[in-house]
């Protein structure tokens, strides 16, 4: 341990005065907040004078209070952000340029301070720690147990988002920022309070015996099922029931039916409930993006979403999950990133009960306002270049099979092969061949082999030398682990591993359509694909009508 300095300052305050300040603000002399004071002042010391700065705390514990105590940055004025990464670190940065200083408690430096190490690493329960020794060490060490680094804040964090207009939530009646959606965030399900399901009553529906329903209008579609033959709505919402319908309804098992009643939920001044047909149509219209059309009017309370063109189905899976978490609504769809033909059903949505509460309806609509759930991305007609790497193929020792395999898959999706080259396992030769194919005008480059761990596998390095950027290598897919993605300028690059020579279906079949549809492949998307991307290697391959890649 280092010797204690007799006149320790935290900014312009003595250490003891700062302790009192901490106790008054925080409720106790928390070690983390006291140490945070040293961290804040050290970070400020490394900023240029007169810098107007904002702050980021990477933990919710103590450090935000240190920032608010010693700087103008607070949560209330928006100059302090808490991005909870679980690390004891903070950053002060120029609020306009984004360049700043990050300071963090360095576990390697803490090793020299036994009481601090016990506290920081939680090696003993709090009540067994020596608090006197801990504060003595914090006072003596100050910011010396921390490390600093220069950082640049991401551009989106420098943008100031206004609150927009203020409106009244139609569910709870309280005012909130209009940017949050149709209803306030509390009514969207973010309130920290335990809800009471019984507070949502049932709608006032009127059920009558079928013989008393003559002359009245059905409140909903009624379906007749003939096992193995048909399932369809025989009676539809708003249809007037006649004497001749009584027997048919009874044969369908309907002894009582709901009818429209001017004293019930059909009244215009009864705004607390939404009929299943109205809800389903509203949901479907909000879900449909480019290339998606609706099958209307609703049937049996459901609306189907159809592909209006051939292409790749794009599903907003996060929004779909959020929508299906709302009570009393549902949407089911085909898998994301599958090829569909015009007229195919891609999704269906409905309200679960006959009438959905306005609260649940608005909550669901507020989610859908964040963007359409479904769109059909057309496949472009790409000009493809194929680059086969392998000295054994180049020298004629092994017959090339890659060019015909890749060509057939490219052409099956409507694109053309502009050129193909075979080169040895040489960085310079591969890079030169890449440039030649680019000069031909290819806008999608497919490379094959040379992506494994053997010393002769140099395709990755050669692509980098040829100008490849945004390289993404390795996927949780079998077969196809060594797949590579990159770009050279505006040209897409797809690296296909050698497994494509043996297996009929590989990662090539999963990603070629995505690239032709203009979708960017991300590491997060690849990580999610791990569940379902183990090919079962069936004796008779039925891809894409199988679970692979889904």
């Amino acid at each position: 341990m280092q010797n204690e300095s007799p006149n320790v300052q935290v900014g312009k305050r003595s250490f003891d005065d700062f302790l009192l300040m901490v106790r008054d603000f925080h409720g106790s002399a928390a070690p983390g907040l006291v140490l945070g004071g040293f961290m804040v002042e050290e970070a400020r010391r490394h900023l240029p004078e007169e810098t107007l700065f904002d702050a980021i705390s990477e933990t919710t514990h103590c450090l935000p209070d240190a920032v608010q105590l010693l700087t103008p940055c607070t949560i209330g004025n928006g100059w302090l952000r808490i991005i909870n990464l679980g690390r004891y670190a903070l950053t002060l940065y120029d609020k306009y340029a984004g360049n700043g200083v990050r300071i963090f408690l360095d576990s390697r430096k803490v090793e020299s301070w036994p009481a601090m190490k016990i506290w920081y690493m939680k090696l003993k329960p709090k009540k067994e720690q020596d608090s006197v020794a801990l504060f003595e060490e914090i006072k003596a060490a100050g910011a010396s147990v921390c490390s600093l680094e220069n950082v640049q804040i991401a551009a989106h964090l420098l943008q100031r988002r206004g609150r927009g207009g203020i409106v009244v939530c139609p569910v709870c009646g309280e005012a909130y920022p209009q940017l949050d959606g149709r209803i306030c965030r509390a009514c969207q399900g973010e309130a920290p309070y335990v809800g009471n399901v019984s507070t949502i009553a049932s709608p006032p529906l009127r059920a009558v015996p079928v013989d008393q329903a003559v002359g009245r209008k059905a409140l909903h579609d009624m379906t007749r099922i003939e096992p193995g033959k048909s399932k369809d709505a025989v009676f539809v919402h708003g249809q007037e029931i006649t004497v001749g319908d009584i027997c048919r309804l009874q044969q369908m098992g309907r002894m009582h039916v709901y009818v429209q009643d001017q004293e019930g939920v059909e009244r215009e001044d009864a705004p607390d409930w939404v009929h299943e047909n109205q809800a389903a149509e509203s949901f479907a219209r909000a879900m449909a993006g480019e290339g998606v059309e609706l099958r209307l009017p609703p049937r049996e309370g459901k609306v189907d979403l159809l592909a209006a063109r051939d292409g790749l189905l794009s599903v907003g899976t996060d929004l779909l999950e959020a929508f299906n978490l709302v009570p009393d609504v549902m949407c089911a769809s085909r898998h994301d990133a599958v090829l569909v033909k015009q007229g195919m059903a891609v999704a269906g949505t409905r309200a679960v009960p006959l009438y959905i509460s306005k609260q649940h309806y608005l909550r669901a609509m507020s989610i859908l306002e964040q963007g359409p759930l479904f769109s059909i991305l057309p496949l472009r007609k790409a000009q493809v270049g194929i680059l086969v790497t392998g000295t054994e193929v180049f020298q004629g020792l092994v017959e090339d099979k890659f060019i015909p395999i890749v060509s057939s898959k490219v052409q099956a999706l409507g694109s053309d092969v502009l050129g193909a080259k075979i080169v040895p396992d040489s960085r310079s030769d591969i890079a030169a061949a890449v440039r030649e194919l680019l000069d031909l005008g290819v806008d999608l480059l497919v490379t094959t082999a040379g992506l494994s761990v053997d010393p002769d596998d140099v395709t990755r390095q050669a692509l980098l030398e040829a100008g490849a950027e945004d390289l993404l290598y390795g996927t949780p897919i079998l077969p196809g682990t060594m797949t590579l993605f990159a770009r050279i300028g505006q040209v897409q690059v797809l690296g296909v591993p050698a497994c494509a020579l043996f297996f009929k279906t590989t990662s090539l079949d999963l990603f070629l359509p995505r690239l032709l549809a203009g979708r960017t492949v991300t590491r997060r998307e690849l990580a999610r694909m791990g569940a379902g991307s183990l090919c079962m290697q069936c004796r008779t391959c039925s891809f894409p009508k199988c679970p692979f890649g889904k």
Side-chain angles (χ1 to χ4, degrees):
M1 185 191 302
Q2 302 173 10
N3 292 326
E4 178 183 334
S5 174
N7 297 307
V8 176
Q9 298 282 121
V10 182
K12 297 180 180 180
R13 299 170 181 81
S14 69
F15 184 80
D16 291 338
D17 285 345
F18 183 64
L19 279 181
L20 293 174
M21 186 180 181
V22 168
R23 288 193 182 99
D24 290 341
F25 183 82
H26 192 74
S28 64
L33 201 163
V34 177
L35 181 59
F38 287 107
M39 296 172 68
V40 170
E41 294 298 339
E42 184 68 11
R44 290 186 73 168
R45 193 170 67 82
H46 284 78
L47 285 179
E49 291 187 14
E50 308 303 325
T51 300
L52 294 176
F53 62 86
D54 282 358
I56 291 176
S57 172
E58 297 182 22
T59 177
T60 58
H61 299 295
C62 294
L63 269 186
D65 282 357
V67 174
Q68 294 181 109
L69 268 177
L70 298 173
T71 77
C73 303
T74 69
I75 295 172
N77 65 20
W79 299 352
L80 167 63
R81 293 175 184 261
I82 299 176
I83 301 177
N84 188 15
L85 304 178
R87 303 188 296 190
Y88 213 73
L90 65 90
T91 299
L92 303 183
Y93 62 95
D94 186 308
K95 65 170 59 194
Y96 302 112
N99 55 299
V101 177
R102 179 178 182 266
I103 184 169
F104 60 96
L105 184 55
D106 194 327
S107 58
R108 294 165 297 183
K109 296 181 179 180
V110 171
E111 288 288 337
S112 302
W113 305 86
M116 205 181 303
K117 178 182 177 181
I118 290 172
W119 161 76
Y120 182 47
M121 304 304 293
K122 298 186 181 298
L123 301 180
K124 290 183 180 180
K126 186 176 180 179
K127 62 183 180 180
E128 296 180 15
Q129 296 178 18
D130 188 338
S131 60
V132 174
L134 174 58
F135 279 99
E136 288 178 350
E137 289 187 4
I138 291 174
K139 184 177 181 181
S144 69
V145 290
C146 299
S147 292
L148 295 100
E149 58 182 345
N150 294 322
V151 294
Q152 178 66 40
I153 301 301
H156 72 275
L157 293 177
L158 300 178
Q159 299 171 356
R160 303 290 175 179
R161 184 190 180 204
R163 298 178 66 199
I166 302 297
V167 295
V168 175
C169 176
V171 175
C172 65
E174 297 188 41
Y176 72 100
Q178 188 175 14
L179 290 175
D180 289 346
R182 287 197 181 194
I183 57 178
C184 71
R185 291 172 63 181
C187 293
Q188 290 178 37
E190 296 184 34
Y193 316 111
V194 177
N196 185 357
V197 177
S198 64
T199 58
I200 300 179
S202 298
L205 302 178
R206 182 174 178 82
V208 299
V210 291
D211 57 349
Q212 296 179 23
V214 175
R216 301 198 178 188
K217 294 182 178 180
L219 195 55
H220 62 101
D221 292 0
M222 288 178 277
T223 303
R224 180 174 183 174
I225 300 176
E226 294 186 50
K229 294 183 179 180
S230 64
K231 174 185 178 294
D232 194 16
V234 178
F235 296 88
V236 297
H237 173 242
Q239 179 177 334
E240 184 173 320
I241 298 173
T242 67
V243 173
D245 294 326
I246 296 176
C247 182
R248 192 158 46 144
L249 284 167
Q250 291 172 338
Q251 289 175 343
M252 292 167 56
R254 264 74 170 187
M255 303 303 162
H256 294 78
V257 294
Y258 287 125
V259 293
Q260 295 182 9
D261 189 335
Q262 291 303 313
E263 298 181 358
V265 292
E266 291 286 301
R267 296 184 309 164
E268 293 183 358
D269 60 343
D272 296 332
W273 302 94
V274 181
H275 188 271
E276 62 175 353
N277 285 356
Q278 179 187 344
E281 184 170 343
S282 297
F283 295 158
R285 291 189 184 279
M287 291 174 179
E290 293 185 10
V292 176
E293 58 188 12
L294 310 182
R295 180 182 285 147
L296 294 173
R299 296 286 290 180
E300 303 173 77
K302 176 174 69 75
V303 174
D304 290 327
L305 292 88
L306 312 175
R309 61 191 180 197
D310 295 352
L312 188 82
L313 173 63
S314 180
V315 181
T317 52
D318 290 338
L319 283 180
L320 178 59
E321 179 180 344
F323 177 82
N324 281 325
L325 283 171
V326 177
D328 293 340
V329 306
M330 64 76 62
C331 178
S333 78
R334 294 170 64 91
H335 286 287
D336 177 45
V338 297
L339 291 170
V340 295
K341 293 290 187 180
Q342 182 178 358
M344 275 188 177
V346 297
T349 185
R350 64 172 301 159
V352 178
L354 177 56
Y355 278 87
I356 180 176
S357 73
K358 197 65 170 285
Q359 177 179 353
H360 290 161
Y361 170 79
L362 291 175
R363 182 174 164 188
M365 289 302 297
S366 70
I367 292 170
L368 298 179
E369 285 176 349
Q370 299 176 48
L373 265 62
F374 308 105
S375 58
I376 308 300
L377 307 178
L379 303 190
R380 64 188 176 91
K381 187 178 181 68
Q383 301 299 309
V384 180
I386 303 174
L387 178 59
V388 178
T389 65
T391 302
E392 71 283 7
V393 182
F394 178 76
Q395 294 179 349
L397 301 176
V398 175
E399 180 185 359
D400 171 62
K401 299 290 187 181
F402 261 126
I403 292 176
I405 290 174
V406 175
S407 295
S408 64
K409 293 178 185 289
V410 164
Q411 292 162 354
L413 294 174
S415 292
D416 294 326
V417 177
L418 196 60
K421 287 188 172 296
I422 301 174
V423 294
D425 293 311
S426 161
R427 289 192 188 186
S428 58
D429 288 340
I430 294 173
V434 168
R435 287 188 283 269
E436 290 178 22
L437 288 170
L438 294 179
D439 290 341
L440 285 178
V442 304
D443 52 32
L444 171 59
L445 175 64
V446 179
T447 71
T448 62
L451 295 171
S452 190
V453 296
D454 296 327
D456 291 329
D457 292 329
V458 295
T459 301
R460 262 191 306 157
Q461 297 84 345
L463 287 171
L464 290 171
E465 292 177 9
E469 299 177 302
D470 300 335
L471 192 142
L472 192 59
Y473 173 62
T475 66
I477 296 170
L478 290 172
T481 300
M482 304 298 182
T483 303
L484 176 146
F485 308 91
R487 66 176 179 83
I488 302 176
Q490 298 301 313
V491 176
Q492 297 170 307
V493 179
L494 175 60
V496 180
C499 61
L501 284 174
F502 179 76
F503 296 100
K504 181 180 178 181
T505 304
T506 67
S507 56
L508 172 61
D509 301 273
L510 301 180
F511 294 113
L512 184 57
R514 283 172 164 86
L515 296 182
L516 294 176
R519 272 189 38 165
T520 300
V521 179
T522 65
R523 174 59 66 188
R524 180 173 295 276
E525 180 181 8
L526 293 178
R528 288 178 173 174
M529 289 179 68
S533 288
L534 174 65
C535 179
M536 301 307 294
Q537 301 177 29
C538 304
R539 181 172 298 177
T540 301
C541 179
S542 61
F543 181 85
K545 296 180 179 180
C546 78
F548 179 58
K550 302 178 178 68

